[in-house]
Amino acid sequence: MTSLLDSLRQYTTVVADTGDFNAIRTLRPTDATTNPSLILKAVQQDAYRPLLAETARAHRGASTAELADRLLVAFGTRILSIVPGRVSTEVDARLSFDTRATIERARGLVAMYEAAGVTRERVLIKIAATWEGIQAARALQAEGIRCNLTLLFSLPQAAACADAKVQLISPFVGRIYDWHKKSAGASWDEAARAGVNDPGVQSVARIYRYFKRFGIETEVMGASFRNTGQILALAGCDLLTISPELLTELAGAEGTVQPVLQAGMAGEAVERVPTDEVSFRTLLNEDAMAGEKLAEGIRAFVADAKKLDALIEAARA
């Protein structure tokens, strides 16, 4: 009998959302995504502490920022020895509002990968979908550096990314679900807001249909899942990045997945979303959920980046 995971693979590229390359080896995804929080989690495990120590020893004179990037690339390089596709590596979230610094950091990451023998086609540079981040991605894409825009919670963010011709976007599901559930309080009806009625699922589906309607080539990768129901409700999306825990759950369940999203669907008749800076900032400001979750996400990644810095400092002490 086919597992739900194997059935899902027929319609959607399955991506592992983790820095744990032992889990990646077991779950056999096509691609993998990482971020500072996931790498922080990994290097605190006994299996991965030696990689942190090895990186610190090999680059004793490097700054903490450079060591952090070299650690991310070390994880990414090992992941790419396992998966057939791509790995996403994130630019420091502290640069989310600095276009020039984001560009320079991204170039540095790609140079490190290329020095390790990894071609840039196998690397996606993750950048927060702020206005500044999107403009950095526009410049990087023009140089042949492919980008994955993350912390994306709204159609205006997605449309601006498409206008910048980014390779891929990662619209979040679970964090949108969290916001609406918290906002609804006691009136939240879990059963009524599950599956295709989940607000996070609906947001990704709306972006997917918009992209297909206008022939936008940017890939859509649903991210940040709280349960397998959200994943199955987006079957057929270009890609889905999923935690090892939920991948394992899907692998252990028998069943057949039917595609919910399909490339031929044009979606409802909608006008193009304006993508100039004033419209972007205005529309994001008017969407309380998207504005709050973007800011919250950046703060959380910055906090974990600082914790990772502390571990790096301790490792080379």
Side-chain angles (χ1 to χ4, degrees), residues 190-210:
E190 186 68 32
R193 303 305 301 274
V196 295
N197 295 318
D198 182 298
V201 169
Q202 290 176 334
S203 179
V204 177
R206 186 179 307 114
I207 290 167
Y208 179 91
R209 291 193 297 267
Y210 180 89

Side-chain angles (χ1 to χ4, degrees), residues 81-104:
S81 71
I82 303 167
V83 302
R86 305 166 296 188
V87 69
S88 290
T89 298
E90 190 149 350
V91 169
D92 192 324
R94 286 169 285 195
L95 306 179
S96 295
F97 302 103
D98 189 330
T99 298
R100 176 49 52 188
T102 295
I103 292 171
E104 293 303 322

Side-chain angles (χ1 to χ4, degrees), residues 19-20 37-49 75:
D20 183 345
S37 300
L38 294 174
I39 300 302
L40 175 66
K41 180 180 178 181
V43 296
Q44 294 180 86
Q45 299 177 35
D46 291 341
Y48 299 112
R49 284 197 188 96
F75 268 89

Side-chain angles (χ1 to χ4, degrees), residues 18-93:
T18 182
D20 183 345
F21 41 83
N22 290 324
I24 292 170
R25 187 176 288 108
T26 299
L27 294 163
R28 301 178 297 106
T30 299
D31 292 358
T33 57
T34 65
N35 62 45
S37 300
L38 294 174
I39 300 302
L40 175 66
K41 180 180 178 181
V43 296
Q44 294 180 86
Q45 299 177 35
D46 291 341
Y48 299 112
R49 284 197 188 96
L51 186 55
L52 171 58
E54 175 189 320
T55 302
R57 280 197 308 271
H59 305 280
R60 292 186 184 279
S63 66
T64 301
E66 181 185 336
L67 281 177
D69 283 353
R70 289 194 176 278
L71 182 63
L72 296 180
V73 171
F75 268 89
T77 302
R78 283 162 175 76
I79 288 169
L80 287 173
S81 71
I82 303 167
V83 302
R86 305 166 296 188
V87 69
S88 290
T89 298
E90 190 149 350
V91 169
D92 192 324

